[in-house]
Amino acid sequence: VPLGEYLCTPSEGLDNPLSRTPLANPTTTTTYHLIVTTATGCTVGDSVTITIHPSPTVDAGENVRICPGEPITLQATGGAGSYLWSPQEGLDRTDAAIVVASPAATTVYTVLYTDPNGCTAVDSVTVTINNKLIVDAGANQRICPGGQVGLAVIRGEGTYRWTPATGLDDPTSRTPMASPNTTTTYIVTVVSPQGCTGTDSVIVTVHPGAYIEAGTTVYLCEGNSAKLAATGSTGTYVWTPPTGLDNPTSRTPVASPSVTTLYHVAVTDENGCHETDSVLVEVRPPSTAVFSLEASTPTASFGQDINMILRATNVDPERDTITSFTIVLAYDPRSLRYRSSSLTTGTATNGWTITSTDNTTTGLLTLRGNGPIVRSGVLCSFDLAPYLSPETGSSHRAEIRFEEVELQSNGC
C-alpha cells in the first residue's frame, strides 16, 4: 500500500477508518473499500470482504443427580465440529459429544464446541452425587420352631423389598414378621426417593426346638404317692397344677394327689424354646366290698362239722375289681379245728384260686384268694370240726370272727 492518506468505507465496525491498519468488527458480512491518496494527489483503491458466520451454540444437557458409583451418560448437542470436555476426572473420554461420567464427587463438566468455521461455544452441566444410601436391617434373630420375630430396617428411607419372601407376612414392609421353618438369611433392598439403592441382610436362626415326654398314665391308690418322670431337653421344668407335688420344678417330682389329676409339664431349653406334655395320675379308691361270715350249720354235735360261708357284698364292677384278698379268721382252738375250704362253683369266684394256712396253736386261719371278684356273691366255704377238750366240758359255744381283712382292688 503506497504511502499517503487512507480512507476506509464504510466506517461501521471500524475503530479508525483513516488508519492504515484499522480493526474491523462488523456485526454482519461487510465489504470494506480502501482509498489511498498519495502526496502527488493520485488515488488508488481496493476492497476486502469480511464474512460473519452464524454464532454456534452447544447444549451440555440438563443437570443430573446420580447415586454414588453410578455412571451417567452426558451428551452435548451442537452439530458437526469438535468437542472437548473438562475436567477429565471421572470421564471415560473428553473428545466426543457423548461421554460417560462417573465422578466421585459433585462435578461441573464444561464442554467446548468448535464448529467447522472455527467458531466456538461453551456450556456446562452439573453432575450431583446424592448421599450414599446406608441400610441397616438390624441384628440377627433367633426363634424356636413355629415361632416368629419382627424384622425392621432401622436405617434407610425409601421403598423396601425383602428376599426371599418365604416366611414373611409382607415382603414390602419396613417391619415384616418372619416365621421361617429353617434358618434363613433375609436380604432387604431399599430404593431411596432419589432412586439410589442400598442393601443389608439379617439371619433368622431357627433352633432345633425343645422336646419332652411326660410318660404314660400313672395309677395311684388313694393315699399313696408315685414319682413322675419327664424326659426331654436340658433346661428348666415346671409342672402344673402344683397341687399334690413335692417339687413342681423338678424333672421327677413325687405326686400324691387326692383326686385324679392331669399334670402338665413344660420345659424351656437353653435357647428359650418351650414344649409341653401331660400325664394323667388316676387315683383309685379302695374297694367298698364287705365280707361276712355265715354259718350254714349254726350248731353241731361232736363229730359233725360246722360249715362256714365267706361272702362278699357291695362289689361295684363299674368302679373297682377286687383282684386278691387276704382274710385272717380267729377261732377258739379249744373248741374248733379247721378241716378244709373250697370255692363255690358258679358264684363270684370263677377263675379263682384259694390257699389256706391254719395255726391251731393261736387259732388263726388265713385264707388267701387270687382272681377277679367282679360282683357280689359267695367267695368260698370252709369246714370247722367241733373239738371238745377236757377244759371245755361237754358243750361249748364256738365263735369265729374277722381278725384282719386286706383287699387288692385295681392295684389298691
Side-chain angles (χ1 to χ4, degrees):
V1 178
L3 296 176
E5 295 179 358
Y6 303 91
L7 178 63
C8 190
T9 60
S11 61
E12 288 77 15
L14 298 177
D15 63 339
N16 185 0
L18 299 179
S19 171
R20 181 180 180 180
T21 56
L23 182 62
N25 186 22
T27 58
T28 61
T29 298
T30 303
T31 299
Y32 288 101
H33 301 279
L34 176 64
I35 299 174
V36 180
T37 302
T38 66
T40 60
C42 296
T43 62
V44 64
D46 199 3
S47 63
V48 62
T49 299
I50 298 177
T51 302
I52 304 299
H53 296 294
S55 297
T57 59
V58 66
D59 185 2
E62 297 291 332
N63 294 334
V64 293
R65 304 181 70 93
I66 62 173
C67 301
E70 179 182 357
I72 185 70
T73 298
L74 305 180
Q75 181 173 358
T77 56
S82 64
Y83 297 84
L84 182 63
W85 293 85
S86 64
Q88 66 179 4
E89 286 77 19
L91 298 178
D92 64 336
R93 59 187 300 179
T94 60
D95 58 351
I98 301 175
V99 296
V100 176
S102 303
T106 297
T107 303
V108 178
Y109 287 105
T110 300
V111 60
L112 173 64
Y113 167 65
T114 303
D115 69 8
N117 297 311
C119 298
T120 61
V122 177
D123 195 18
S124 63
V125 60
T126 301
V127 179
T128 300
I129 306 299
N130 292 320
N131 293 330
K132 183 179 180 180
L133 179 60
I134 299 176
V135 177
D136 187 354
N140 293 332
Q141 304 291 335
R142 297 174 180 272
I143 62 173
C144 301
Q148 63 178 5
V149 66
L151 306 182
V153 177
I154 60 178
R155 184 177 182 184
E157 300 294 333
T159 60
Y160 307 91
R161 172 65 64 180
W162 294 83
T163 57
T166 305
L168 299 179
D169 64 340
D170 184 0
T172 63
S173 170
R174 181 172 186 166
T175 56
M177 294 299 296
S179 53
N181 294 323
T182 58
T183 297
T184 303
T185 299
Y186 288 104
I187 300 173
V188 61
T189 300
V190 182
V191 179
S192 71
Q194 294 78 30
C196 296
T197 300
T199 62
D200 195 21
S201 62
V202 60
I203 300 174
V204 178
T205 300
V206 181
H207 292 299
Y211 68 97
I212 191 171
E213 173 61 51
T216 58
T217 299
V218 176
Y219 297 100
L220 190 64
C221 297
E222 191 175 274
N224 291 347
S225 61
K227 178 178 286 189
L228 306 182
T231 58
S233 303
T234 301
T236 58
Y237 287 75
V238 176
W239 294 82
T240 55
T243 305
L245 300 179
D246 68 334
N247 185 0
T249 61
S250 169
R251 186 188 286 229
T252 57
V254 175
S256 53
S258 58
V259 295
T260 296
T261 304
L262 180 65
Y263 286 106
H264 303 276
V265 59
V267 61
T268 302
D269 67 11
E270 59 268 24
N271 297 314
C273 296
H274 304 272
E275 190 56 81
T276 61
D277 196 17
S278 60
V279 61
L280 181 67
V281 177
E282 183 177 319
V283 178
R284 292 179 167 178
S287 173
T288 59
V290 176
F291 289 84
S292 61
L293 289 172
E294 301 174 2
S296 62
T297 309
T299 59
S301 302
F302 182 75
Q304 182 183 5
D305 291 346
I306 299 174
N307 181 250
M308 303 296 293
I309 295 175
L310 178 62
R311 183 184 300 274
T313 58
N314 203 28
V315 175
D316 186 353
E318 297 296 328
R319 185 178 64 179
D320 63 0
T321 298
I322 301 172
T323 56
S324 67
F325 68 87
T326 299
I327 296 178
V328 179
L329 302 173
Y331 63 91
D332 186 350
R334 296 176 301 172
S335 58
L336 294 175
R337 288 289 187 273
Y338 170 71
R339 185 183 297 278
S340 65
S341 61
S342 64
L343 294 172
T344 303
T345 304
T347 62
T349 58
N350 286 343
W352 270 68
T353 59
I354 192 167
T355 58
S356 61
T357 303
D358 182 40
N359 188 327
T360 59
T361 301
T362 59
L364 295 177
L365 171 63
T366 303
L367 301 175
R368 293 183 176 88
N370 291 283
I373 301 177
V374 296
R375 63 181 182 273
S376 300
V378 174
L379 298 180
C380 67
S381 63
F382 55 95
D383 295 326
L384 294 162
Y387 173 73
L388 298 178
S389 65
E391 292 83 3
T392 60
S394 59
S395 66
H396 184 76
R397 180 179 178 82
E399 181 182 2
I400 185 167
R401 67 184 185 278
F402 289 110
E403 184 73 16
E404 181 181 344
V405 178
E406 180 180 337
L407 304 179
Q408 283 291 115
S409 174
N410 291 332
C412 298

